[in-house]
Amino acid sequence: MTPRGKSSTLGRFTSRTITYCGWRVTTPNSYRPFPFILLALTLATLLWADLSNGYVWVVLLITRGFGGIGLVDDWVKLTHRSSHGISARLKLLLQCLIALIAALCIALLTGYPLGTGLAIPFFKDVLVPLHVLFFPFAALGMVGASHAVNLSDALHRLSILPSMITPTCFALIAYLVRHMERSFDAAE
């Protein structure tokens, strides 16, 4: 095999470095989006999550569904080499459909009355029965949270530091709490 043959065989795995807003960014030579994050998340969930828990499957459905919409949108943008992906109306419709399916699954898994009710935080015995209104309410929450993340994504340079600090602090707190429990158990 000639060097040129190796180059064409490995061409889609090579990369190039470009400068974007003063940052050096490495991009693949081919313009094919590879959903590595979705693939890694799905694989990790299937390997280490409790697959007998229905809520794990609902979260995986929402994540893969919303990620799939983003993947199709990026694919259309890259293959047509334009900034126009799928229409905003179609994206919103697909997100609402996925969220409604997930809300139905949650209601079926949880059962009545909690499955279609709204539990008020900090009040143990308060449950507002929403009945049929639970589904659009839950879908609005899921789609709204997705859009809030996308809006904050524009501020990624500002949000990366809290995104690293917060899990580190939670991990430290979890470690300290566990360590304190062991030290109290040993003292007794």
Side-chain angles (χ1 to χ4, degrees):
M1 186 180 280
T2 64
R4 183 175 171 88
K6 285 182 185 175
S7 171
S8 64
T9 304
L10 300 175
R12 66 184 197 149
F13 298 108
T14 60
S15 60
R16 64 184 171 154
T17 302
I18 59 172
T19 303
Y20 176 73
C21 295
W23 292 81
R24 294 178 58 81
V25 180
T26 303
T27 61
N29 276 337
S30 63
Y31 291 100
R32 298 179 192 162
F34 292 102
F36 286 125
I37 293 174
L38 279 177
L39 182 65
L41 184 122
T42 303
L43 188 62
T45 303
L46 293 176
L47 286 175
W48 292 297
D50 179 15
L51 299 180
S52 64
N53 187 341
Y55 298 107
V56 171
W57 290 103
V58 173
V59 170
L60 196 59
L61 165 82
I62 295 168
T63 306
R64 298 274 308 187
F66 284 12
I69 293 169
L71 180 68
V72 169
D73 185 45
D74 290 345
W75 180 262
V76 170
K77 287 177 186 176
L78 292 173
T79 55
H80 294 287
R81 297 191 190 269
S82 72
S83 62
H84 304 290
I86 58 177
S87 69
R89 205 173 268 171
L90 179 61
K91 280 190 265 189
L92 188 62
L93 177 72
L94 291 173
Q95 285 177 344
C96 288
L97 181 67
I98 291 168
L100 284 171
I101 292 169
L104 177 66
C105 292
I106 289 170
L108 291 174
L109 283 170
T110 307
Y112 186 80
L114 187 60
T116 58
L118 177 64
I120 307 296
F122 307 114
F123 296 102
K124 217 185 247 185
D125 298 327
V126 177
L127 183 67
V128 179
L130 295 177
H131 303 291
V132 178
L133 294 177
F134 169 78
F135 302 106
F137 184 78
L140 179 69
M142 289 180 235
V143 174
S146 170
H147 285 266
V149 168
N150 284 337
L151 285 174
S152 67
D153 187 38
L155 304 172
H156 66 282
R157 290 189 191 122
L158 298 174
S159 66
I160 193 66
L161 186 63
S163 298
M164 291 185 319
I165 291 174
T166 304
T168 305
C169 290
F170 282 134
L172 180 66
I173 291 169
Y175 173 77
L176 291 175
V177 166
R178 183 68 180 149
H179 185 67
M180 287 176 149
E181 286 176 2
R182 287 185 181 172
S183 66
F184 285 130
D185 290 341
E188 292 176 357

PDB file of all heavy atoms in Angstrom, residues 142-165:
ATOM      1  N   MET A 142     -39.601  19.407  30.758  1.00  0.00           N
ATOM      2  CA  MET A 142     -38.487  18.742  30.065  1.00  0.00           C
ATOM      3  C   MET A 142     -37.968  19.584  28.900  1.00  0.00           C
ATOM      4  O   MET A 142     -36.764  19.774  28.748  1.00  0.00           O
ATOM      5  CB  MET A 142     -38.928  17.368  29.570  1.00  0.00           C
ATOM      6  CG  MET A 142     -39.125  16.358  30.659  1.00  0.00           C
ATOM      7  SD  MET A 142     -39.629  14.776  29.983  1.00  0.00           S
ATOM      8  CE  MET A 142     -41.127  14.491  30.891  1.00  0.00           C
ATOM      9  N   VAL A 143     -38.876  20.065  28.077  1.00  0.00           N
ATOM     10  CA  VAL A 143     -38.463  20.880  26.920  1.00  0.00           C
ATOM     11  C   VAL A 143     -37.871  22.197  27.391  1.00  0.00           C
ATOM     12  O   VAL A 143     -36.866  22.669  26.845  1.00  0.00           O
ATOM     13  CB  VAL A 143     -39.658  21.091  25.958  1.00  0.00           C
ATOM     14  CG1 VAL A 143     -39.298  22.051  24.843  1.00  0.00           C
ATOM     15  CG2 VAL A 143     -40.106  19.764  25.375  1.00  0.00           C
ATOM     16  N   GLY A 144     -38.452  22.796  28.416  1.00  0.00           N
ATOM     17  CA  GLY A 144     -37.910  24.050  28.953  1.00  0.00           C
ATOM     18  C   GLY A 144     -36.513  23.878  29.515  1.00  0.00           C
ATOM     19  O   GLY A 144     -35.640  24.720  29.314  1.00  0.00           O
ATOM     20  N   ALA A 145     -36.284  22.766  30.224  1.00  0.00           N
ATOM     21  CA  ALA A 145     -34.942  22.507  30.752  1.00  0.00           C
ATOM     22  C   ALA A 145     -33.940  22.300  29.630  1.00  0.00           C
ATOM     23  O   ALA A 145     -32.802  22.772  29.694  1.00  0.00           O
ATOM     24  CB  ALA A 145     -34.969  21.281  31.667  1.00  0.00           C
ATOM     25  N   SER A 146     -34.367  21.622  28.578  1.00  0.00           N
ATOM     26  CA  SER A 146     -33.484  21.413  27.424  1.00  0.00           C
ATOM     27  C   SER A 146     -33.100  22.739  26.774  1.00  0.00           C
ATOM     28  O   SER A 146     -31.939  22.972  26.436  1.00  0.00           O
ATOM     29  CB  SER A 146     -34.179  20.518  26.401  1.00  0.00           C
ATOM     30  OG  SER A 146     -33.463  20.484  25.194  1.00  0.00           O
ATOM     31  N   HIS A 147     -34.073  23.624  26.617  1.00  0.00           N
ATOM     32  CA  HIS A 147     -33.795  24.918  26.002  1.00  0.00           C
ATOM     33  C   HIS A 147     -32.962  25.808  26.918  1.00  0.00           C
ATOM     34  O   HIS A 147     -32.148  26.603  26.444  1.00  0.00           O
ATOM     35  CB  HIS A 147     -35.089  25.606  25.583  1.00  0.00           C
ATOM     36  CG  HIS A 147     -35.679  25.001  24.351  1.00  0.00           C
ATOM     37  ND1 HIS A 147     -35.433  25.484  23.101  1.00  0.00           N
ATOM     38  CD2 HIS A 147     -36.464  23.911  24.190  1.00  0.00           C
ATOM     39  CE1 HIS A 147     -36.048  24.738  22.208  1.00  0.00           C
ATOM     40  NE2 HIS A 147     -36.683  23.771  22.844  1.00  0.00           N
ATOM     41  N   ALA A 148     -33.149  25.690  28.218  1.00  0.00           N
ATOM     42  CA  ALA A 148     -32.330  26.466  29.152  1.00  0.00           C
ATOM     43  C   ALA A 148     -30.867  26.050  29.053  1.00  0.00           C
ATOM     44  O   ALA A 148     -29.970  26.895  29.092  1.00  0.00           O
ATOM     45  CB  ALA A 148     -32.836  26.279  30.577  1.00  0.00           C
ATOM     46  N   VAL A 149     -30.619  24.756  28.895  1.00  0.00           N
ATOM     47  CA  VAL A 149     -29.245  24.281  28.725  1.00  0.00           C
ATOM     48  C   VAL A 149     -28.668  24.797  27.415  1.00  0.00           C
ATOM     49  O   VAL A 149     -27.516  25.231  27.354  1.00  0.00           O
ATOM     50  CB  VAL A 149     -29.188  22.736  28.784  1.00  0.00           C
ATOM     51  CG1 VAL A 149     -27.845  22.213  28.326  1.00  0.00           C
ATOM     52  CG2 VAL A 149     -29.506  22.260  30.181  1.00  0.00           C
ATOM     53  N   ASN A 150     -29.469  24.793  26.354  1.00  0.00           N
ATOM     54  CA  ASN A 150     -28.973  25.287  25.070  1.00  0.00           C
ATOM     55  C   ASN A 150     -28.695  26.786  25.113  1.00  0.00           C
ATOM     56  O   ASN A 150     -27.758  27.264  24.479  1.00  0.00           O
ATOM     57  CB  ASN A 150     -29.968  24.971  23.952  1.00  0.00           C
ATOM     58  CG  ASN A 150     -29.921  23.526  23.542  1.00  0.00           C
ATOM     59  OD1 ASN A 150     -28.917  22.851  23.759  1.00  0.00           O
ATOM     60  ND2 ASN A 150     -30.991  23.047  22.975  1.00  0.00           N
ATOM     61  N   LEU A 151     -29.509  27.541  25.835  1.00  0.00           N
ATOM     62  CA  LEU A 151     -29.253  28.974  25.956  1.00  0.00           C
ATOM     63  C   LEU A 151     -27.979  29.231  26.743  1.00  0.00           C
ATOM     64  O   LEU A 151     -27.185  30.106  26.412  1.00  0.00           O
ATOM     65  CB  LEU A 151     -30.430  29.677  26.628  1.00  0.00           C
ATOM     66  CG  LEU A 151     -31.670  29.868  25.771  1.00  0.00           C
ATOM     67  CD1 LEU A 151     -32.796  30.450  26.611  1.00  0.00           C
ATOM     68  CD2 LEU A 151     -31.381  30.763  24.590  1.00  0.00           C
ATOM     69  N   SER A 152     -27.770  28.459  27.800  1.00  0.00           N
ATOM     70  CA  SER A 152     -26.553  28.660  28.596  1.00  0.00           C
ATOM     71  C   SER A 152     -25.328  28.118  27.886  1.00  0.00           C
ATOM     72  O   SER A 152     -24.201  28.451  28.245  1.00  0.00           O
ATOM     73  CB  SER A 152     -26.705  28.012  29.972  1.00  0.00           C
ATOM     74  OG  SER A 152     -26.778  26.616  29.842  1.00  0.00           O
ATOM     75  N   ASP A 153     -25.528  27.281  26.862  1.00  0.00           N
ATOM     76  CA  ASP A 153     -24.399  26.750  26.113  1.00  0.00           C
ATOM     77  C   ASP A 153     -23.644  27.871  25.404  1.00  0.00           C
ATOM     78  O   ASP A 153     -22.444  27.769  25.172  1.00  0.00           O
ATOM     79  CB  ASP A 153     -24.888  25.710  25.103  1.00  0.00           C
ATOM     80  CG  ASP A 153     -23.739  25.006  24.418  1.00  0.00           C
ATOM     81  OD1 ASP A 153     -22.730  24.741  25.110  1.00  0.00           O
ATOM     82  OD2 ASP A 153     -23.831  24.740  23.212  1.00  0.00           O
ATOM     83  N   ALA A 154     -24.351  28.935  25.064  1.00  0.00           N
ATOM     84  CA  ALA A 154     -23.682  30.078  24.438  1.00  0.00           C
ATOM     85  C   ALA A 154     -22.689  30.727  25.389  1.00  0.00           C
ATOM     86  O   ALA A 154     -21.750  31.391  24.965  1.00  0.00           O
ATOM     87  CB  ALA A 154     -24.713  31.095  23.972  1.00  0.00           C
ATOM     88  N   LEU A 155     -22.887  30.518  26.656  1.00  0.00           N
ATOM     89  CA  LEU A 155     -21.988  31.076  27.669  1.00  0.00           C
ATOM     90  C   LEU A 155     -21.014  30.018  28.173  1.00  0.00           C
ATOM     91  O   LEU A 155     -20.591  30.065  29.326  1.00  0.00           O
ATOM     92  CB  LEU A 155     -22.813  31.618  28.841  1.00  0.00           C
ATOM     93  CG  LEU A 155     -23.877  32.646  28.484  1.00  0.00           C
ATOM     94  CD1 LEU A 155     -24.735  32.932  29.694  1.00  0.00           C
ATOM     95  CD2 LEU A 155     -23.239  33.914  27.972  1.00  0.00           C
ATOM     96  N   HIS A 156     -20.647  29.073  27.317  1.00  0.00           N
ATOM     97  CA  HIS A 156     -19.864  27.925  27.768  1.00  0.00           C
ATOM     98  C   HIS A 156     -18.530  28.309  28.396  1.00  0.00           C
ATOM     99  O   HIS A 156     -18.056  27.643  29.286  1.00  0.00           O
ATOM    100  CB  HIS A 156     -19.655  26.928  26.636  1.00  0.00           C
ATOM    101  CG  HIS A 156     -18.802  27.450  25.527  1.00  0.00           C
ATOM    102  ND1 HIS A 156     -19.290  28.312  24.577  1.00  0.00           N
ATOM    103  CD2 HIS A 156     -17.510  27.240  25.230  1.00  0.00           C
ATOM    104  CE1 HIS A 156     -18.323  28.605  23.735  1.00  0.00           C
ATOM    105  NE2 HIS A 156     -17.240  27.971  24.102  1.00  0.00           N
ATOM    106  N   ARG A 157     -17.942  29.379  27.949  1.00  0.00           N
ATOM    107  CA  ARG A 157     -16.667  29.774  28.551  1.00  0.00           C
ATOM    108  C   ARG A 157     -16.885  30.249  29.985  1.00  0.00           C
ATOM    109  O   ARG A 157     -16.008  30.129  30.820  1.00  0.00           O
ATOM    110  CB  ARG A 157     -16.006  30.868  27.739  1.00  0.00           C
ATOM    111  CG  ARG A 157     -15.502  30.350  26.414  1.00  0.00           C
ATOM    112  CD  ARG A 157     -14.654  31.386  25.701  1.00  0.00           C
ATOM    113  NE  ARG A 157     -14.419  30.929  24.351  1.00  0.00           N
ATOM    114  CZ  ARG A 157     -14.750  31.593  23.271  1.00  0.00           C
ATOM    115  NH1 ARG A 157     -15.325  32.767  23.371  1.00  0.00           N
ATOM    116  NH2 ARG A 157     -14.497  31.115  22.084  1.00  0.00           N
ATOM    117  N   LEU A 158     -18.055  30.812  30.252  1.00  0.00           N
ATOM    118  CA  LEU A 158     -18.357  31.260  31.604  1.00  0.00           C
ATOM    119  C   LEU A 158     -18.844  30.126  32.489  1.00  0.00           C
ATOM    120  O   LEU A 158     -18.656  30.148  33.698  1.00  0.00           O
ATOM    121  CB  LEU A 158     -19.417  32.365  31.565  1.00  0.00           C
ATOM    122  CG  LEU A 158     -19.034  33.642  30.822  1.00  0.00           C
ATOM    123  CD1 LEU A 158     -20.222  34.573  30.754  1.00  0.00           C
ATOM    124  CD2 LEU A 158     -17.867  34.319  31.498  1.00  0.00           C
ATOM    125  N   SER A 159     -19.474  29.137  31.900  1.00  0.00           N
ATOM    126  CA  SER A 159     -20.073  28.086  32.711  1.00  0.00           C
ATOM    127  C   SER A 159     -19.161  26.891  32.936  1.00  0.00           C
ATOM    128  O   SER A 159     -19.498  26.026  33.722  1.00  0.00           O
ATOM    129  CB  SER A 159     -21.372  27.619  32.069  1.00  0.00           C
ATOM    130  OG  SER A 159     -21.114  26.988  30.840  1.00  0.00           O
ATOM    131  N   ILE A 160     -18.031  26.813  32.272  1.00  0.00           N
ATOM    132  CA  ILE A 160     -17.192  25.631  32.417  1.00  0.00           C
ATOM    133  C   ILE A 160     -16.576  25.552  33.804  1.00  0.00           C
ATOM    134  O   ILE A 160     -16.469  24.473  34.377  1.00  0.00           O
ATOM    135  CB  ILE A 160     -16.106  25.555  31.305  1.00  0.00           C
ATOM    136  CG1 ILE A 160     -15.460  24.181  31.291  1.00  0.00           C
ATOM    137  CG2 ILE A 160     -15.055  26.622  31.495  1.00  0.00           C
ATOM    138  CD1 ILE A 160     -16.373  23.082  30.904  1.00  0.00           C
ATOM    139  N   LEU A 161     -16.199  26.674  34.381  1.00  0.00           N
ATOM    140  CA  LEU A 161     -15.593  26.640  35.712  1.00  0.00           C
ATOM    141  C   LEU A 161     -16.592  26.160  36.769  1.00  0.00           C
ATOM    142  O   LEU A 161     -16.274  25.228  37.521  1.00  0.00           O
ATOM    143  CB  LEU A 161     -15.010  28.001  36.072  1.00  0.00           C
ATOM    144  CG  LEU A 161     -14.218  28.041  37.376  1.00  0.00           C
ATOM    145  CD1 LEU A 161     -12.994  27.132  37.276  1.00  0.00           C
ATOM    146  CD2 LEU A 161     -13.791  29.448  37.695  1.00  0.00           C
ATOM    147  N   PRO A 162     -17.811  26.720  36.852  1.00  0.00           N
ATOM    148  CA  PRO A 162     -18.767  26.151  37.820  1.00  0.00           C
ATOM    149  C   PRO A 162     -19.118  24.698  37.508  1.00  0.00           C
ATOM    150  O   PRO A 162     -19.384  23.925  38.418  1.00  0.00           O
ATOM    151  CB  PRO A 162     -20.002  27.032  37.679  1.00  0.00           C
ATOM    152  CG  PRO A 162     -19.527  28.289  37.069  1.00  0.00           C
ATOM    153  CD  PRO A 162     -18.344  27.939  36.228  1.00  0.00           C
ATOM    154  N   SER A 163     -19.089  24.321  36.241  1.00  0.00           N
ATOM    155  CA  SER A 163     -19.386  22.938  35.877  1.00  0.00           C
ATOM    156  C   SER A 163     -18.304  21.988  36.372  1.00  0.00           C
ATOM    157  O   SER A 163     -18.572  20.805  36.555  1.00  0.00           O
ATOM    158  CB  SER A 163     -19.528  22.796  34.364  1.00  0.00           C
ATOM    159  OG  SER A 163     -20.601  23.570  33.914  1.00  0.00           O
ATOM    160  N   MET A 164     -17.105  22.471  36.549  1.00  0.00           N
ATOM    161  CA  MET A 164     -16.042  21.626  37.091  1.00  0.00           C
ATOM    162  C   MET A 164     -16.016  21.699  38.613  1.00  0.00           C
ATOM    163  O   MET A 164     -15.764  20.700  39.283  1.00  0.00           O
ATOM    164  CB  MET A 164     -14.680  22.053  36.535  1.00  0.00           C
ATOM    165  CG  MET A 164     -14.516  21.770  35.069  1.00  0.00           C
ATOM    166  SD  MET A 164     -12.892  22.115  34.394  1.00  0.00           S
ATOM    167  CE  MET A 164     -12.413  23.636  35.137  1.00  0.00           C
ATOM    168  N   ILE A 165     -16.279  22.858  39.166  1.00  0.00           N
ATOM    169  CA  ILE A 165     -16.200  23.033  40.616  1.00  0.00           C
ATOM    170  C   ILE A 165     -17.350  22.325  41.319  1.00  0.00           C
ATOM    171  O   ILE A 165     -17.143  21.675  42.353  1.00  0.00           O
ATOM    172  CB  ILE A 165     -16.167  24.530  40.972  1.00  0.00           C
ATOM    173  CG1 ILE A 165     -14.839  25.135  40.521  1.00  0.00           C
ATOM    174  CG2 ILE A 165     -16.373  24.743  42.459  1.00  0.00           C
ATOM    175  CD1 ILE A 165     -14.767  26.633  40.697  1.00  0.00           C
TER     176      ILE A 165
END
